[in-house]
Amino acid sequence: MPSDYHVHIERGPYTIDWLKKFVDTALDKGLTEIGFSEHGYRFDKGYDAFGSDGFRGEWIKKYNGQDIDEYVSLIHEAKSMGLPVKLGIEADYIPGKEKELMDFLKPYPWDYVIGSIHWICDWGIDLDECLDIWESCDVDSVYLEYFNMVEKMAEMGIFDFIGHIDLVKIFKYRPTPMVYDKIEENIKNIAKTGIAVEVSTAGWRKPVGEIYPSKEIMSLIKKYNIPILVNSDAHTPEDVARDFDKAYNYVKSFGIDTLNYFDKRKRIPYKI
């Protein structure tokens, strides 16, 4: 069941014609299904779960305004037409916003929910406009705080898999080797939750030029037998399943031969 579950259609209208461009690319590349996972902060109803009184809130207001019910209805329509699609969402974990997040997600019949971290307080760690903050911070401390947040996110029990688990490396800032000893404790605890982790080809298209996760993190994922899946984080049709052959080889190089797909929040393994 090769699939791509991290796909965004937000750059176009919520129409079957636009959605089919992504589906057609997926099928042309040999996938059997595709999952759509719009950013939760894009929806009006999600502001309480993701917004703030500071920069984060101001930034989200620039992109907020879409109707989540329209999005969900579009995926239901596509399913009713027989298109091989799944209903997902990518939701940022914001400490202190747990109740708001659960209230936001609860009404909808997700096939899966992606948990991601793009923000440390009001700092958008992957935003170009926040890049200067990296120059004035202690990189080791940022990594430790980031992975502590990832661990807490996994322990919430409301996410099915973690998106781009080491997004923190996006601008090529790397921790000292000793930091990975502490990150291993995070990964060990994450493994206890049963959550899966995404291997994302998007990293090859970012400034870091490296797949998510890095070899260091991937080795820990293998060590603690965390289930994985391969995704693209596509925002355009041409990026669906991009570099999947390379990603499969990367996964296999760690002795992993099993990926996973999801249906109504149930994780189902398959061999590659």
Side-chain angles (χ1 to χ4, degrees):
M1 291 288 293
S3 58
D4 188 350
Y5 281 159
H6 196 152
V7 176
H8 300 281
I9 55 173
E10 61 199 24
R11 295 183 183 177
Y14 285 158
T15 64
I16 290 295
D17 286 345
W18 176 236
L19 180 143
K20 276 191 90 282
K21 293 181 184 294
F22 292 81
V23 175
D24 290 344
T25 300
L27 296 177
D28 287 346
K29 291 187 176 181
L31 303 188
T32 56
E33 65 178 16
I34 181 173
F36 295 98
S37 50
E38 292 296 83
H39 291 285
Y41 69 77
R42 301 279 298 193
F43 302 112
D44 283 334
K45 290 182 179 179
Y47 187 81
D48 287 345
F50 308 111
S52 75
D53 293 330
F55 174 76
R56 188 175 77 240
E58 295 174 4
W59 187 89
I60 287 175
K61 285 177 181 177
K62 296 179 183 178
Y63 301 96
N64 190 256
Q66 296 188 22
D67 185 342
I68 191 170
D69 295 293
E70 182 182 354
Y71 165 61
V72 172
S73 294
L74 173 66
I75 306 304
H76 283 328
E77 181 183 357
K79 286 185 176 186
S80 69
M81 295 172 60
L83 296 177
V85 303
K86 290 290 174 66
L87 174 63
I89 191 166
E90 182 179 9
D92 284 281
Y93 170 62
I94 308 292
K97 294 279 190 175
E98 290 86 353
K99 182 182 184 302
E100 291 86 349
L101 178 59
M102 289 188 286
D103 290 344
F104 170 62
L105 295 173
K106 187 176 180 179
Y108 303 99
W110 309 111
D111 286 304
Y112 59 89
V113 175
I114 306 173
S116 297
I117 292 174
H118 296 88
W119 298 90
I120 297 178
C121 297
D122 265 3
W123 175 24
I125 61 171
D126 65 333
L127 297 180
D128 289 337
E129 53 262 56
C130 295
L131 182 54
D132 60 324
I133 297 176
W134 277 104
E135 295 295 333
S136 60
C137 67
D138 178 74
V139 174
D140 282 3
S141 296
V142 173
Y143 268 73
L144 293 174
E145 182 173 3
Y146 175 87
F147 277 97
N148 283 337
M149 289 176 64
V150 173
E151 179 182 334
K152 290 177 182 177
M153 178 177 70
E155 290 173 344
M156 279 188 70
I158 67 170
F159 300 102
D160 297 296
F161 64 87
I162 299 170
H164 36 62
I165 189 170
D166 56 347
L167 178 74
V168 66
K169 72 184 181 188
I170 187 169
F171 291 122
K172 302 182 182 181
Y173 290 89
R174 305 280 189 169
T176 57
M178 61 181 291
V179 170
Y180 287 102
D181 292 336
K182 295 184 177 179
I183 291 176
E184 179 168 1
E185 284 300 309
N186 297 127
I187 300 298
K188 182 178 179 180
N189 291 330
I190 287 168
K192 296 174 184 176
T193 70
I195 199 170
V197 168
E198 146 186 295
V199 173
S200 173
T201 64
W204 281 318
R205 310 193 300 273
K206 301 298 182 180
V208 70
E210 178 184 276
I211 195 170
Y212 302 120
S214 67
K215 292 181 179 179
E216 293 88 348
I217 303 299
M218 195 70 193
S219 295
L220 296 174
I221 288 170
K222 165 63 176 176
K223 179 177 180 178
Y224 292 104
N225 296 312
I226 297 176
I228 66 167
L229 59 164
V230 171
N231 291 324
S232 69
D233 200 354
H235 288 69
T236 61
E238 54 267 28
D239 281 339
V240 172
R242 185 169 173 177
D243 295 320
F244 269 27
D245 287 345
K246 286 171 60 179
Y248 293 153
N249 288 335
Y250 179 72
V251 166
K252 291 176 181 178
S253 73
F254 290 88
I256 299 172
D257 64 357
T258 302
L259 299 180
N260 294 269
Y261 69 100
F262 288 87
D263 186 55
K264 298 179 178 63
R265 310 300 299 274
K266 181 180 180 182
R267 180 175 60 82
I268 305 166
Y270 67 94
K271 297 289 185 178
I272 56 171

